[in-house]
Amino acid sequence: QVQLVESGGGLVQAGGSLRLSCAASGRTFSVYGMGWFRQAPGKEREFVAAYDWTGGGSYYADSVKGRFTISRDNAKSTVYLQMNSLKPEDTAVYYCAASRRNSGLDLRMNYDYWGQGTQVTVSS
């Protein structure tokens, strides 16, 4: 099993920045990719960004490209999501997820472990 703990959410004004963290523990050797998804009230959970731990590639939803950056700290088994130029439409619960695959990381179905989520609220 892999446990994921997110932190860093909060309330920020439009145009501001937040950095989310996701610390992985347990059988992390089985993880080949990690990603961030978000879910706004009344909407489906959607892909935000992912990082391929084997090849080092990163992937982003079109809605966050150029504003969000995903990165990894190998020593800490932690993945980060730096969110800049935040907009009110970025308001959602953000979930960290870990996958035993290194492809198809934009699909919810390819993730095996999920964190509990952290709220991000962007005020206008």
Side-chain angles (χ1 to χ4, degrees):
Q1 288 289 334
V2 174
Q3 294 78 43
L4 303 172
V5 178
E6 302 110 329
S7 61
L11 172 64
V12 64
Q13 289 189 329
S17 299
L18 281 175
R19 188 177 81 155
L20 305 183
S21 301
C22 176
S25 61
R27 299 170 65 88
T28 57
F29 60 85
S30 67
V31 173
Y32 293 116
M34 289 188 71
W36 288 95
F37 288 74
R38 66 186 182 187
Q39 188 167 17
K43 294 188 176 181
E44 294 287 321
R45 191 172 299 187
E46 64 175 5
F47 169 73
V48 176
Y51 191 93
D52 169 9
W53 283 15
T54 60
S58 54
Y59 310 93
Y60 299 92
D62 288 343
S63 58
V64 306
K65 268 181 193 173
R67 300 188 298 123
F68 291 11
T69 303
I70 189 169
S71 61
R72 176 193 178 191
D73 183 327
N74 290 353
K76 297 180 181 180
S77 296
T78 299
V79 67
Y80 303 97
L81 185 68
Q82 178 66 43
M83 306 185 294
N84 299 329
S85 302
L86 282 161
K87 305 175 181 179
E89 51 262 44
D90 294 318
T91 295
V93 177
Y94 283 69
Y95 295 91
C96 173
S99 174
R100 291 178 291 183
R101 303 164 183 81
N102 63 357
S103 61
L105 294 176
D106 59 331
L107 301 175
R108 285 175 56 185
M109 60 184 283
N110 288 334
Y111 286 84
D112 304 283
Y113 308 100
W114 292 84
Q116 80 286 356
T118 185
Q119 177 71 46
V120 171
T121 303
V122 184
S123 63
S124 56

